[in-house]
Amino acid sequence: MEREMTGAEMVLQAFRDQEVKHVFGYPGGAVLPIYDELIQQDDIAHILVRHEQGAGHAAEGYARSTGKPGVVLVTSGPGATNMVTALTDAMLDSIPLVCITGQVPTNLVGSDAFQECDTVGITRPCTKHNWLVKRIEDLPRILHEAFYVAKSGRPGPVVVDIPKDVQFATGTYAGPSTSHVQHKSYNPPTKGDMTAIRAAVQLMATAQRPVLYTGGGVINSGPLASQLLRELVEMTGFPVTSTLMGLGAYPASGPEWLGMLGMHGTYEANMAMHDCDVMVCIGARFDDRITGKLDAFSPNSKKIHIDVDPSSINKIVHVDIPVVGDVAHVLEDMVRIWRASSFKPRAEVKNWKKQIDQWRARNCLAYRNSDDIIMPQYALQRLGEAIKGKDVYISTEVGQHQMWAAQFLGFEAPNRWLTSGGFGTMGYGMPAAIGAQVAHPDSLCINIAGDASILMNIQEMSTAVQHGLSPKTFILNNSYMGMVRQWQQLLHGNRLSHSYTDSLPDFVKLAEAYGAKGIRVTKPHELDDAIQEMIETPGPVLFDCCVAQLANCFPMIPSGKPHNEMLLPDEASDEAVASAISKEGKALV
């Protein structure tokens, strides 16, 4: 139905038509007409953050935990530029975001007006697409198109930059059912080529040492994709591993689960990737943290790559059978063809699994525990026990704590693990937990943090308190930028250049200053009761878990090394690590 309304009203109506329930934002002069409309309605809730980057990460947490686009509303100039980190983060991790930015009036664009910047130019490299709306007549179509682009194909962030005079202008609004919402040059595939899918299934049936390498694309494709992945694993009996972004697509308790792979993945997962003869890559992109040394990556395998983004095929690793299409559609066809052909895994796969069991017996996540000092791994194991069986969403900041969380917290379902994978953004976790809590108010949302990362967006504690949200932040406090310190220790002669985070705040008092709850634990025997108190406390909590300061995160594939040169904890003396990383003492982090 078409009707007359202002540009600001069109934004709100487009949100309704796109079934938006929550918007994360921060007001400013160039976006006040839209904010004026927000306060006059009740069906769309606005979550006031304390920094625009926080709005972006909260929208990411919302999107990752629901599968729906996260929506952000910010002003021009610094409001828009503060969003760049979150937009880039969403771009690399394929998270659907729709960001509405205010802009100076069209007659002032290009004049260096107050709080003006070239938002479209600045955000072009970190969005799927962006628009500067110059005419009110174009606004409805662009708004609907933005949602289409953000959530279709390989999801990602988009920006709609709306000058203030366009927000005030009056025009005719058309809903998505009456306007052409598809982008004129963007029509991503959904169904895969059947010839390629049949060839892939045929190759899988010949495999003697198969492995399924899964990524965030399985989760982005929706719950059906995860269900079909589980069916495929059950039918084939193939072992399955996952990238950091794909955790939960296959349950950690599943019989074929190898654990996460990559730089800090499990020994069994990385060795299986190196020695397999057929690799099926499903919704992953051969990131450098996964492949290690490229020319030695899984050197003897035939590779199948399923991805909705054709630009990801053969971009980094040459594959033998590419299948371009949505993961759910492709897996549905693969499962159907495997069943119809009555394929069975080859007898040699049993021997392959015996080899995997031998690698698993190395117990690569072992660590030396203590009765006096809390080891970070132990802290996460105790947390994992306390939340087992609960309705939980886990976010993280970035660093050692992130890798330990991935290693020690098992995920049984998709969309429960919210982390910054591709961009590695410190400060991501707290606002992401807030976004998840907004979407799931009755669920337990926990942010695993480090003492350095948590300070990047600590101001969002105010957001949680103001809106009656209850995210819990579990800080592994070692008084260092842990991963930076680990690399300096192992790679730079133990010269700890500016990685010691001296003068940390008293996190208990800081929590109380925000009107929240603070808890501090220094001894292992205190953990269980304190964790239970954190879970049962209404409202936000900062949990200051004081852990061993110099614990390192292993296993580890040194940069530039292949998977079969992985370092395990029992091999990880400083000298051994430094020697393994590089004889010349040079490597890329």
Side-chain angles (χ1 to χ4, degrees):
M1 181 177 178
E2 296 185 355
R3 54 195 170 105
E4 291 291 307
M5 59 179 71
T6 66
E9 290 176 302
M10 288 180 183
V11 173
L12 271 293
Q13 189 57 48
F15 287 171
R16 295 186 189 96
D17 289 342
Q18 295 292 339
E19 300 182 347
V20 173
K21 301 299 182 185
H22 299 92
V23 175
F24 301 87
Y26 200 95
V31 78
L32 286 184
I34 300 173
Y35 269 89
D36 193 45
E37 291 299 325
L38 268 173
I39 199 66
Q40 299 180 60
Q41 55 84 54
D42 297 318
D43 47 343
I44 299 169
H46 178 270
I47 310 300
L48 177 66
V49 297
R50 298 306 187 266
H51 190 283
E52 289 88 355
Q53 182 187 350
H57 295 324
E60 285 188 271
Y62 186 96
R64 187 69 174 173
S65 67
T66 63
K68 302 174 183 177
V71 180
V72 180
L73 177 62
V74 298
T75 193
S76 64
T81 58
N82 282 345
M83 268 296 297
V84 168
T85 297
L87 290 169
T88 309
D89 191 278
M91 186 72 176
L92 283 175
D93 284 347
S94 304
I95 308 300
L97 291 189
V98 175
C99 176
I100 307 297
T101 59
Q103 183 55 276
V104 301
T106 51
N107 66 305
L108 294 180
V109 171
S111 70
D112 295 332
F114 177 67
Q115 290 194 333
E116 182 200 358
C117 72
D118 180 5
T119 300
V120 166
I122 289 169
T123 62
R124 184 173 288 118
C126 59
T127 55
K128 282 184 72 176
H129 198 66
N130 57 19
W131 298 260
L132 171 61
V133 185
K134 297 179 180 179
R135 305 186 318 144
I136 188 68
E137 294 83 0
D138 298 328
L139 183 57
R141 173 186 56 80
I142 288 174
L143 288 168
H144 299 309
E145 194 172 287
F147 279 90
Y148 168 74
V149 172
K151 62 188 179 182
S152 62
R154 179 180 175 180
V158 298
V159 166
V160 181
D161 196 32
I162 311 176
K164 195 168 184 178
D165 58 317
V166 175
Q167 297 172 43
F168 278 124
T170 302
T172 302
Y173 176 83
S177 60
T178 55
S179 62
H180 181 66
V181 300
Q182 291 193 342
H183 192 266
K184 58 187 177 184
S185 61
Y186 180 66
N187 294 292
T190 52
K191 300 285 285 183
D193 178 72
M194 287 306 299
T195 301
I197 293 173
R198 288 191 184 94
V201 173
Q202 188 69 46
L203 178 59
M204 290 165 63
T206 69
Q208 300 180 41
R209 302 185 308 279
V211 69
L212 300 176
Y213 153 36
T214 64
V218 181
I219 293 172
N220 287 340
S221 182
L224 178 60
S226 294
Q227 178 185 327
L228 288 165
L229 172 65
R230 296 167 191 223
E231 288 184 32
L232 183 67
V233 173
E234 186 176 357
M235 281 192 322
T236 62
F238 287 4
V240 57
T241 182
S242 166
T243 66
L244 183 72
M245 297 304 296
L247 295 175
Y250 182 80
S253 61
E256 306 302 339
W257 178 238
L258 296 172
M260 182 180 72
L261 80 157
M263 180 173 279
H264 293 288
T266 65
Y267 184 67
E268 52 267 32
N270 284 318
M271 290 301 294
M273 287 285 282
H274 186 270
D275 284 357
C276 69
D277 67 345
V278 173
M279 175 195 300
V280 187
C281 175
I282 308 172
R285 58 186 178 88
F286 296 98
D287 177 77
D288 64 285
R289 285 310 193 244
I290 297 302
T291 61
K293 188 179 181 183
L294 259 180
D295 60 7
F297 172 67
S298 193
N300 300 312
S301 66
K302 296 285 188 181
K303 299 175 181 67
I304 300 163
H305 189 185
I306 303 166
D307 204 296
V308 74
D309 181 5
S311 72
S312 291
I313 304 289
N314 292 324
K315 180 179 179 180
I316 297 170
V317 170
H318 174 77
V319 298
D320 300 278
I321 302 177
V323 182
V324 178
D326 180 81
V327 165
H329 288 282
V330 174
L331 287 181
E332 186 175 30
D333 288 334
M334 293 180 85
V335 167
R336 180 174 49 80
I337 291 170
W338 183 281
R339 280 190 178 134
S341 304
S342 299
F343 284 133
K344 301 289 182 185
R346 290 182 55 152
E348 291 88 347
V349 174
K350 289 185 178 179
N351 294 329
W352 174 234
K353 290 186 179 180
K354 289 179 182 178
Q355 173 63 71
I356 288 172
D357 286 339
Q358 290 178 20
W359 289 327
R360 190 179 279 120
R362 294 289 299 270
N363 195 15
C364 68
L365 298 181
Y367 61 93
R368 186 177 299 170
N369 208 358
S370 167
D371 292 331
D372 298 318
I373 299 172
I374 301 174
M375 297 304 293
Q377 301 96 321
Y378 179 72
L380 287 171
Q381 283 183 313
R382 299 318 303 160
L383 176 65
E385 284 298 315
I387 63 176
K388 190 171 291 183
K390 295 184 184 296
D391 180 20
V392 183
Y393 294 84
I394 299 289
S395 69
T396 77
E397 308 288 340
V398 170
Q400 287 177 319
H401 59 274
Q402 177 190 29
M403 295 297 105
W404 281 318
Q407 291 172 344
F408 288 94
L409 298 178
F411 295 92
E412 299 297 311
N415 301 103
R416 299 295 177 135
W417 168 246
L418 322 170
T419 195
S420 173
F423 208 38
T425 307
M426 294 172 72
Y428 171 92
M430 178 179 283
I434 288 172
Q437 191 79 82
V438 168
H440 310 279
D442 298 324
S443 301
L444 179 61
C445 297
I446 301 176
N447 170 36
I448 311 299
D451 52 276
S453 274
I454 189 57
L455 294 177
M456 289 284 186
N457 275 316
I458 191 68
Q459 74 283 343
E460 299 310 324
M461 282 290 290
S462 286
T463 302
V465 171
Q466 175 177 344
H467 294 280
L469 304 170
S470 303
K472 319 300 183 188
T473 292
F474 193 82
I475 305 170
L476 297 181
N477 185 350
N478 59 12
S479 298
Y480 280 97
M481 301 174 200
M483 195 62 85
V484 172
R485 192 270 310 149
Q486 176 170 335
W487 278 92
Q488 288 175 337
Q489 176 190 345
L490 303 180
L491 202 72
H492 297 280
N494 205 29
R495 293 181 293 278
L496 306 186
S497 178
H498 304 286
S499 55
Y500 178 56
T501 50
D502 199 4
S503 301
L504 285 171
D506 181 325
F507 286 111
V508 172
K509 290 181 179 178
L510 184 60
E512 293 170 350
Y514 279 111
K517 174 74 173 179
I519 301 173
R520 178 177 295 113
V521 172
T522 61
K523 297 295 182 182
H525 70 270
E526 301 170 340
L527 271 171
D528 288 352
D529 288 345
I531 289 171
Q532 198 59 38
E533 181 184 1
M534 177 189 77
I535 291 171
E536 294 175 356
T537 297
V541 175
L542 283 184
F543 189 105
D544 186 10
C545 185
C546 301
V547 300
Q549 289 194 333
L550 300 179
N552 283 333
C553 185
F554 290 104
M556 183 175 89
I557 302 175
S559 269
K561 295 293 179 180
H563 287 71
N564 63 342
E565 294 185 28
M566 182 170 216
L567 289 165
L568 301 184
D570 57 355
E571 304 165 340
S573 69
D574 294 353
E575 296 79 10
V577 174
S579 173
I581 288 174
S582 172
K583 292 180 180 178
E584 297 82 17
K586 299 176 182 178
L588 294 174
V589 176

